[in-house]
Amino acid sequence: MEKEDALNALAALGQETRLDVFRLLVKAGKEGMTAGAVSDALDVRPNTLSTHLGALSRSGLVLAERDGRSICYRANLQTMQVLVTYLLQDCCGGNPELCAPIASLAAGGVCDTGKAR
């Protein structure tokens, strides 16, 4: 991933509604959701949602696929994986044990930092 691509993805996620949309689509999984379903779930006006979906699509974080007369949106987890890899590429200054909690999350484990969220 190039730095500019990472900046675009982070900028797309740096807005509250877009972050909510991405997280909702992650929860929806492979089935994805139509724009109408996302709009209803997040109580966002359709024209506003369209702008946000466009920004997420341009950043590569969301994929859109026509399904009959509707468009189905899905989170592009591959792009997110590449982004996280880019961010953590030189993780922990050569001390991999410091990255163990992150590695555990990537492997499907639970990260316990001892801090309340």
Side-chain angles (χ1 to χ4, degrees):
M1 172 171 272
E2 299 293 324
K3 182 189 271 187
E4 187 172 332
D5 296 329
L7 289 169
N8 288 334
L10 292 168
L13 293 173
Q15 196 280 339
E16 183 178 359
T17 301
R18 289 193 293 265
L19 182 60
D20 290 345
V21 169
F22 183 77
R23 293 189 73 211
L24 180 66
L25 292 175
V26 168
K27 288 178 188 175
K30 293 179 182 179
E31 285 188 30
M33 297 176 74
T34 63
V38 173
S39 176
D40 291 344
L42 297 177
D43 195 26
V44 177
R45 291 183 306 178
N47 60 337
T48 302
L49 180 62
S50 178
T51 301
H52 293 306
L53 285 168
L56 289 165
S57 293
R58 284 188 300 280
S59 72
L61 290 166
V62 167
L63 300 172
E65 182 180 320
R66 183 159 295 283
D67 183 17
R69 292 182 1 182
S70 299
I71 298 176
C72 187
Y73 293 91
R74 292 176 185 81
N76 186 348
L77 298 180
Q78 183 176 6
T79 297
M80 180 54 75
Q81 181 180 11
V82 171
L83 174 61
V84 170
T85 300
Y86 174 82
L87 293 172
L88 300 176
Q89 194 166 14
D90 299 317
C91 179
C92 306
N95 298 302
E97 68 279 1
L98 297 175
C99 295
I102 295 169
S104 175
L105 279 175
V110 177
C111 182
D112 181 15
T113 62
K115 296 181 182 177
R117 292 182 187 187

